[in-house]
Amino acid sequence: LNNIKEYSLGRPWVHGYDATIVGAWGHLRHTLGTNGMPLIQKFVAVPEFIIDSMLRLTLFPVDVKDITKESRWPLCFAGAMFWLAIFSFFMLEIANEIHYNIPALPNSFLGITVCAIGTSFPNAVASVLMAQQNKPAAAIANALGSNVQNVFLAMALPWVIYQLQHGGKPINQNVAGINEGVVWMCGTLVLVIAFVLMPPFCKLSYAYGPILVSVYLAYLVITSGETFGWWPPLVK
């Protein structure tokens, strides 16, 4: 609590936690009724309230932010994965609709932009919030752990389900460009490890942030150009 008070940009709102929809309503009233609240935050308050209400209506019995329910974390995790699957489904449907209505935007481009950013943006926000609360280790662990989950759960679990449904039948997929994607992923991992090993050991300085952002922007530009045929792929 002291970290939140000290590192919340001077605007901490300390209150009792209510895991039910009543807590969502209280947060909405606080956001809309507080003078000096950023306009964008008030603008998104209503859709945030709708989503928050759905989550609280289904997860309040296992919400581990209530310290009396911390032992129910496996059920909380399962519920969170359920809602993540729901939101991911709608995100993919939106991407498909964009491709259907704008055929010039291929699915591969939407995958590295809309879908990739849509799935990673919540992790980025969570890491920023934890960093602001003076929890750098948790912020870094969240960023790395989310990618581990993407590889070993988000990709592997659908494969397992498909195999069980089709008796181990091979999955035919268009894997054009996968080699370059693996190279980019391994390259960024090596870069992060190099930053960690550079003196001072196990300390990430501010200068590394712009470097990593620049690498990501370069990745977007290069892969987008390859998708639209502006230049040949770097790795075949």
Side-chain angles (χ1 to χ4, degrees):
L1 181 59
N2 291 331
N3 281 338
I4 295 176
K5 291 180 178 179
E6 182 176 356
Y7 295 100
S8 293
L9 304 180
R11 297 190 304 271
W13 179 39
V14 181
H15 57 90
Y17 181 70
D18 188 343
T20 67
I21 193 173
V22 177
W25 175 250
H27 181 73
L28 175 66
R29 293 181 58 189
H30 168 76
T31 302
L32 297 179
T34 301
N35 295 327
M37 190 71 69
L39 182 61
I40 183 64
Q41 195 165 343
K42 291 188 176 183
F43 180 77
V44 301
V46 174
E48 179 185 354
F49 168 73
I50 295 174
I51 296 174
D52 194 20
S53 298
M54 292 190 299
L55 296 178
R56 288 173 184 262
L57 284 172
T58 53
L59 296 177
F60 76 90
V62 295
D63 192 338
V64 295
K65 285 185 286 186
D66 182 345
I67 60 175
T68 63
K69 302 172 182 175
E70 289 181 344
S71 60
R72 304 177 187 178
W73 67 265
L75 294 175
C76 183
F77 177 80
M81 291 300 101
F82 168 80
W83 278 109
L84 181 61
I86 296 296
F87 291 134
S88 298
F89 172 79
F90 283 113
M91 180 189 66
L92 291 175
E93 287 299 308
I94 292 172
N96 287 331
E97 286 298 320
I98 293 175
H99 173 65
Y100 178 79
N101 291 281
I102 311 177
L105 296 178
N107 283 326
S108 54
F109 173 76
L110 295 172
I112 63 175
T113 54
V114 175
C115 296
I117 295 174
T119 56
S120 299
F121 187 75
N123 292 325
V125 172
S127 294
V128 169
L129 292 176
M130 285 185 286
Q132 288 180 343
Q133 295 174 13
N134 198 29
K135 300 176 181 177
I140 296 173
N142 174 67
L144 298 178
S146 62
N147 286 284
V148 172
Q149 185 188 36
N150 287 340
V151 174
F152 293 104
L153 183 63
M155 287 199 306
L157 186 58
W159 291 347
V160 172
I161 295 174
Y162 182 91
Q163 294 290 336
L164 292 176
Q165 291 177 337
H166 296 82
K169 181 181 178 181
I171 306 175
N172 296 320
Q173 294 287 328
N174 181 8
V175 295
I178 193 173
N179 291 336
E180 183 172 345
V182 172
V183 170
W184 275 102
M185 184 174 66
C186 294
T188 53
L189 178 60
V190 170
L191 186 60
V192 171
I193 294 176
F195 286 158
V196 172
L197 296 179
M198 290 174 61
F201 184 70
C202 282
K203 289 186 178 181
L204 299 176
S205 69
Y206 172 80
Y208 298 153
I211 295 175
L212 294 174
V213 171
S214 299
V215 171
Y216 176 69
L217 294 177
Y219 163 77
L220 280 182
V221 172
I222 292 174
T223 53
S224 297
E226 293 172 353
T227 300
F228 288 105
W230 297 338
W231 45 72
L234 297 179
V235 179
K236 297 183 179 181

